Amino acid sequence: MARQLALPLPVRAALGREDYFVSSSNSLAVALLDGWQGWPAGKLLLAGPAGSGKTHLAHVWAAESGATILPATALPGLPILELTAGPICLEDVPRIAGDRAAEEALFHLHNLSLAQGQPLLLSAETAPRHWPLGLADLKSRMEATQTATLREPDDALLAAVLAKLLADRHCIPAPDVIPYLLHQMPRSFAMAQRVAAELDARALGRAKGITRALARDVLLSLARRG
């Protein structure tokens, strides 16, 4: 039987409000984000493991608030005064730890944003007490920021995450694939991303597409790799 031509399509993540699935694992964080106009001191930290939806929620918030989204590592050299004229979201804040220029830039941005009444959203995988920041004044301000935590997924959320990751990759699994994965795979966002990427790669050119048998093979392969 002739194999289908493998044409890898670009991964395009859907980042709209309607594309974000709310469950018991993330409902409190979503509620805190929705209440952004009442954040204590005008700031919030969105914390959660890789793949938990921090970037997705940042884009939802930016669409509602008009915020600018930036990686924290981009701060040195940017016009801080201009940035603080509107809402700001800084992603992956712990990555600037040890970079004196970036830490000082965030310190000034933090203070100017709050002084001008502009909301500030930060994101990270962990709470600020775990960040090895060198600037003591910045560390104290980060630790005083209210935190909205995205937890590892429950069944409903993991199913939705798997479906979205596959849809972002233009993949349509057989009806029994996601229920099978829910019962067999380690329960984490990181694993969901690995599974989706592997299914996508292996499905290219397969006439049968993504089947339960392929899902089983992918899980066995990932388990062997560790």
Side-chain angles (χ1 to χ4, degrees):
M1 179 181 294
R3 290 171 61 84
Q4 291 182 340
L5 182 63
L7 294 173
L9 298 172
V11 179
R12 300 187 65 177
L15 297 174
R17 180 67 184 244
E18 68 279 4
D19 303 305
Y20 192 84
F21 187 85
V22 179
S23 78
S24 59
S25 299
N26 58 22
S27 58
L28 180 56
V30 172
L32 287 171
L33 203 66
D34 282 343
W36 61 275
Q37 292 173 315
W39 289 345
K43 57 181 180 174
L44 182 74
L45 168 65
L46 193 58
S52 58
K54 298 186 295 295
T55 292
H56 192 154
L57 284 176
H59 279 82
V60 170
W61 179 69
E64 294 179 357
S65 65
T68 298
I69 303 176
L70 293 169
T73 52
L75 281 178
L78 291 180
I80 301 301
L81 187 59
E82 292 181 20
L83 287 176
T84 56
I88 292 288
C89 172
L90 292 178
E91 296 191 293
D92 300 317
V93 176
R95 291 189 179 182
I96 69 170
D99 183 335
R100 184 73 180 190
E103 289 193 22
E104 290 180 350
L106 176 54
F107 178 74
H108 293 307
L109 182 143
H110 171 279
N111 292 345
L112 282 171
S113 290
L114 272 57
Q116 297 186 54
Q118 296 294 351
L120 175 63
L121 178 65
L122 309 164
S123 78
E125 292 189 15
T126 60
R129 66 179 180 276
H130 300 298
W131 306 351
L133 296 171
L135 194 61
D137 287 340
L138 176 62
K139 187 173 181 62
S140 66
R141 282 161 175 75
M142 295 296 98
E143 291 182 352
T145 303
Q146 183 181 20
T147 299
T149 302
L150 296 168
R151 307 193 181 281
E152 290 290 5
D154 54 25
D155 280 350
L157 181 55
L158 184 58
V161 166
L162 285 166
K164 182 182 182 302
L165 289 171
L166 290 171
D168 288 345
R169 294 175 175 275
H170 314 282
C171 295
I172 302 176
D176 59 347
V177 168
I178 289 179
Y180 172 78
L181 290 172
L182 286 178
H183 287 93
Q184 300 296 327
M185 65 179 280
R187 309 185 60 76
S188 73
F189 293 109
M191 180 55 71
Q193 290 181 318
R194 292 181 66 194
V195 167
E198 189 78 5
L199 285 171
D200 182 22
R202 293 199 183 198
L204 285 175
R206 292 180 84 254
K208 292 183 178 180
I210 298 178
T211 62
R212 177 170 169 164
L214 179 61
R216 182 187 64 244
D217 290 345
V218 162
L219 292 183
L220 289 173
S221 177
L222 291 176
R224 284 193 295 267
R225 290 183 223 165

